[in-house]
Amino acid sequence: MTAFLFTLLIGLMGGLIDVLPMIKMKMDKYSNFSAFVHYLIAPFIIFSIK
């Protein structure tokens, strides 16, 4: 459970770092959502590779 929360936290931080400048540039909401989900899911894939 702790590894799941850590991975989720890493994804949230990465997503926010990527999306905040995009929001400031007034990009499309679908682009913002896509980038956030990408950075949210990517750590789960990376940390599960053996």
Side-chain angles (χ1 to χ4, degrees):
M1 184 68 174
T2 305
F4 175 78
L5 293 176
F6 180 71
T7 307
L8 186 62
L9 181 65
I10 296 287
L12 286 172
M13 288 177 18
L16 287 175
I17 289 171
D18 186 52
V19 169
L20 287 177
M22 293 173 69
I23 292 171
K24 187 175 181 181
M25 291 187 295
K26 301 197 186 310
M27 294 187 74
D28 187 23
K29 65 180 178 181
Y30 297 110
S31 299
N32 293 338
F33 181 73
S34 172
F36 181 76
V37 170
H38 172 78
Y39 279 96
L40 184 67
I41 300 300
F44 287 100
I45 296 169
I46 293 169
F47 290 142
S48 67
I49 294 174
K50 293 185 182 188

